[in-house]
């Protein structure tokens, strides 16, 4: 599949990179974000915000900023390779100590929980999906969004997010990791916006960044292409 689209709004968050200018500068000379920064997520009611840990805060913050207040309902695709793994890891440690699990913590650990918290907080009633596809998670998210556009949606909100994984899983790490989140509001290709295309295939591996951040870097840098490993990848058209 080779499909073309445009992005008419975006937002991103990582430690040390909290505004558009910082992100554009980073795209010209990228580095792996580190640190414990968390977005304020002031748009969310305090009682609801307490239920969301730092990965969720990052995802919800960029979703809120990207969707905006006047855009109305649109389908959403939330995408994360690992999901809220820190929360799951804590529950597994509790099980190992024969401690009872919190039903609330379990409910908030599922892969669609962050999307659900966003939908509840904003009073949204539209369609949302939660996807995960190892390295190709951004590609899976955009593929879902393109299908929704083909079904008639005028725009789709795509939110991609991940965090550094707990140390107990270090032997399984196959790419750099860092807390980050970004969102695109994807629309059909428009002449007044850059047009991007995605040819589905395995992404290239072994870079200095998580693949999801490589995709964001490509988008912000203005590069003509981000090749995949088997002829797939991302392209930009004038």
């Amino acid at each position: 599949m080779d499909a073309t689209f445009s992005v008419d709004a975006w937002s991103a968050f990582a430690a040390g990179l909290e505004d558009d200018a910082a992100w554009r500068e980073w795209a010209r000379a990228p580095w792996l974000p580190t640190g414990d920064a968390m977005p304020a997520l002031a748009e969310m009611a305090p009682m609801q915000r307490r239920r969301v840990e730092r990965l969720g805060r990052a995802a919800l913050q960029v979703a809120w900023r990207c969707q905006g207040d006047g855009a109305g309902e649109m389908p959403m695709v939330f995408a994360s390779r690992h999901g809220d793994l820190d929360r799951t890891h804590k529950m597994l440690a509790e099980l190992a100590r024969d401690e009872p699990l919190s039903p609330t913590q379990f409910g908030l650990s599922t892969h669609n929980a962050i999307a659900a918290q966003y939908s509840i907080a904003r009073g949204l009633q539209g369609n949302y999906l939660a996807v995960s596809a190892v390295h190709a998670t951004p590609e899976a998210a955009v593929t879902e969004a393109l299908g929704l556009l083909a079904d008639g949606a005028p725009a789709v909100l795509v939110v991609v997010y991940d965090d550094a994984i707990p140390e107990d899983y270090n032997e399984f790490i196959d790419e750099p990791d860092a807390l980050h989140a970004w969102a695109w509001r994807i629309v059909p290709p428009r002449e007044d916006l850059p047009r991007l295309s995605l040819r589905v295939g395995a992404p290239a591996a072994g870079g200095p960044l998580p693949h999801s951040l490589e995709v964001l870097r490509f988008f912000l840098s203005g590069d003509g292409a981000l090749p995949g490993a088997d002829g797939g990848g991302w392209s930009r058209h004038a």
Side-chain angles (χ1 to χ4, degrees):
M1 184 189 80
D2 191 348
T4 305
F5 62 94
S6 292
V7 175
D8 74 346
W10 68 275
S11 181
F13 175 86
L17 295 163
E18 298 190 32
D19 59 51
D20 292 0
W23 276 106
R24 292 189 185 281
E25 183 177 350
W26 169 88
R28 292 191 292 270
W31 42 270
L32 185 67
T34 59
D36 298 322
M38 273 200 309
L41 193 56
E43 299 89 340
M44 196 173 193
M47 288 298 292
Q48 290 177 302
R49 191 167 60 238
R50 288 176 57 189
R51 296 165 59 88
V52 184
E53 296 190 347
R54 75 172 199 159
L55 176 64
R57 284 198 184 199
L60 269 56
Q61 185 70 85
V62 299
W64 222 298
R65 290 173 179 169
C66 189
Q67 183 172 3
D69 293 328
E73 291 271 0
M74 67 181 68
M76 303 180 295
V77 182
F78 280 68
S80 177
R81 177 177 181 179
H82 299 295
D84 201 344
L85 187 57
D86 189 59
R87 194 189 296 266
T88 303
H89 179 258
K90 290 175 183 175
M91 291 192 300
L92 290 172
E94 290 169 353
L95 282 175
R97 296 191 297 267
D98 292 324
E99 297 174 0
L101 292 182
S102 161
T104 299
Q105 290 298 318
F106 175 78
L108 293 172
S109 73
T110 59
H111 206 70
N112 68 331
I114 289 173
Q117 291 297 306
Y118 182 72
S119 181
I120 292 168
R122 300 208 65 170
L124 304 176
Q125 299 180 11
N127 176 41
Y128 71 79
L129 302 167
V131 302
S132 177
V134 198
H135 291 93
T137 292
E139 286 80 0
V142 170
T143 300
E144 290 284 357
L146 294 174
L148 290 163
L149 291 180
D151 281 344
V156 180
L157 182 67
V158 169
V159 186
V160 178
Y161 51 99
D162 257 306
D163 201 350
I165 71 171
E167 290 184 1
D168 284 347
Y169 298 106
N170 279 352
E171 65 181 289
F172 303 108
I173 292 177
D174 58 5
E175 66 175 353
D177 60 4
L179 173 67
H180 64 280
W182 54 264
W184 291 348
R185 196 166 64 199
I186 291 180
V187 296
R190 284 175 24 190
E191 293 297 327
D192 61 327
L193 294 170
R195 290 173 294 121
L196 307 176
S197 64
L198 170 63
R199 181 177 292 275
V200 175
L209 299 171
H211 177 63
S212 51
L213 275 179
E214 285 284 6
V215 172
L216 180 64
R217 185 210 58 76
F218 155 75
F219 170 70
L220 295 176
S221 68
D223 287 355
L226 177 63
D230 58 359
W234 304 78
S235 301
R236 185 187 312 269
H237 310 279

